[in-house]
């Protein structure tokens, strides 16, 4: 937060000066990501490493229609295309190369706990109100990591829907919680990678249709039993170790899906 404040002060100062002072702002060193993560090099196709993986988590919501961005630490064509879509969504030069401007936008979008600024861990935590990420089939760490990836996809979806709030009614559910509310026994909510969302500005069908281009391999909405008042999105394709579940399942017949 301190960095952002300083940046704002610097911009205000520069704006108060004529001409050349603007260049000083443009040439300023890249912002740092507070307590989260800082990228130290420009990334493009062919690169690999933890910094690529961290980038992939943040652009996975910009996958192509019906596709996903694999979080594998390798900067391939899918990652480049997702970076291009991210850049274009935020008015940056869409070259598919993640450099200072792309990272500055990511820093601007993320909180110090690495969540995107419009979603929080608390919002995605245990649907029965207990919290803590435990009690599911995965470790609390893996569950929480899945929730983080879900949030970055939701941030992308939100951007595409005009940057208006999306509300998460239910995220991670522990096994006991899922039984209690009668969730499906193999529900993706158990893994932390699902969210039930609503909107006050977009119809549920708009949400469901748009979700198809934001890396969600599971989408259930109006027309699917039990989904008349929310849209369920999940990432079953990349998060489920069971090969038989490694697929895309969409159903919202009232929306033509
Ligand atoms: Zn759901």
């Amino acid at each position: 937060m301190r960095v952002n404040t300083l940046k704002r002060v610097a911009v205000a100062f520069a704006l108060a000066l004529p001409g050349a002072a603007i260049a000083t702002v443009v040439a300023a060193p890249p912002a740092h990501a507070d307590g989260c993560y800082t990228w130290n090099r420009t990334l493009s196709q062919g690169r690999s490493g933890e910094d690529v993986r961290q980038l992939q988590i943040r652009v996975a919501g910009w996958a192509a229609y019906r596709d996903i961005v694999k979080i594998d630490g390798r900067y391939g064509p899918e990652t480049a295309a997702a970076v291009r879509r991210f850049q274009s969504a935020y008015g940056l030069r869409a070259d598919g190369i993640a450099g200072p401007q792309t990272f500055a936008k990511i820093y601007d979008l993320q909180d110090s706990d690495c969540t995107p600024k419009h979603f929080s861990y608390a919002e995605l935590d245990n649907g029965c109100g207990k919290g803590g990420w435990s009690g599911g089939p995965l470790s609390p760490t893996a569950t929480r990591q899945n929730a983080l990836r879900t949030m970055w996809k939701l941030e992308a979806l939100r951007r595409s829907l005009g940057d208006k709030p999306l509300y998460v009614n239910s995220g991670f559910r522990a096994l006991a919680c899922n039984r209690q509310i009668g969730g499906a026994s193999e529900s993706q909510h158990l893994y932390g990678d699902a969210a039930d969302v609503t909107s006050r500005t977009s119809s549920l069908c708009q949400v469901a249709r748009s979700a198809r281009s934001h890396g969600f391999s599971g989408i259930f909405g109006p027309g699917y039993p039990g989904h008349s008042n929310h849209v369920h999105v999940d990432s079953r394709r990349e998060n489920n170790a069971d090969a038989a579940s490694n697929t895309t399942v969409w159903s919202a017949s009232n929306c033509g899906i």
Side-chain angles (χ1 to χ4, degrees):
M1 294 312 272
R2 191 179 306 133
V3 172
N4 284 341
T5 310
L6 284 176
K7 247 171 52 185
R8 239 176 268 124
V9 170
V11 170
F13 179 66
L15 290 176
L17 295 171
I22 301 296
T24 311
V25 174
V26 173
H32 287 265
D34 296 331
C36 179
Y37 188 85
T38 302
W39 284 268
N40 294 311
R41 57 173 181 164
T42 290
L43 298 174
S44 56
Q45 277 201 62
R47 297 285 190 178
S48 61
E50 175 61 17
D51 48 4
V52 174
R53 206 182 71 85
Q54 292 289 338
L55 173 68
Q56 287 171 326
I57 290 169
R58 288 153 180 84
V59 299
W62 297 100
Y65 177 86
R66 211 183 172 88
D67 207 352
I68 61 167
V69 174
K70 284 195 210 74
I71 313 293
D72 58 5
R74 290 200 295 266
Y75 203 120
E78 285 169 359
T79 303
V83 167
R84 221 174 283 123
R85 286 185 206 97
F86 172 90
Q87 291 168 327
S88 132
Y90 289 100
L92 306 176
R93 191 158 58 94
D95 57 7
I97 297 167
Q101 291 195 344
T102 299
F103 294 133
K105 177 45 73 178
I106 292 175
Y107 296 148
D108 176 48
L109 284 174
Q110 84 183 348
D111 294 326
S112 57
D113 65 356
C114 298
T115 60
K117 68 178 173 186
H118 298 107
F119 298 91
S120 68
Y121 281 118
E123 216 176 344
L124 270 280
D125 206 350
N126 193 323
C128 294
K130 266 188 77 180
W133 308 106
S134 58
L138 304 179
S139 71
T141 304
T143 305
R144 193 172 185 269
Q145 181 66 17
N146 281 347
L148 179 67
R149 288 157 62 168
T150 302
M151 282 186 261
W152 280 98
K153 291 183 180 181
L154 290 174
E155 185 73 30
L157 174 61
R158 183 191 194 281
R159 177 75 182 178
S160 282
L161 291 168
D163 246 340
K164 300 288 192 326
L166 280 178
Y167 303 92
V168 179
N169 297 342
S170 185
F172 166 62
R173 296 176 199 149
L175 285 156
C177 165
N178 194 55
R179 272 193 300 272
Q180 187 186 316
I181 63 170
S185 61
E186 272 308 301
S187 170
Q188 291 295 308
H189 287 278
L190 297 169
Y191 300 89
D193 76 357
D196 293 343
V197 301
T198 61
S199 164
R200 289 178 196 156
T201 46
S202 299
S203 71
L204 292 178
C205 282
Q206 285 174 318
V207 173
R209 285 193 205 104
S210 185
R212 299 178 295 180
S213 301
H214 292 289
F216 293 110
S217 42
I219 304 172
F220 299 95
Y224 186 81
H227 289 69
S228 58
N229 62 353
H230 69 276
V231 176
H232 166 106
V233 291
D234 70 52
S235 300
R236 59 188 60 209
R237 187 167 153 192
E238 62 260 54
N239 286 337
N240 202 321
D242 176 6
S245 302
N246 188 14
T247 185
T248 296
V249 184
W250 294 344
S251 183
S253 56
N254 292 0
C255 311
I257 297 172

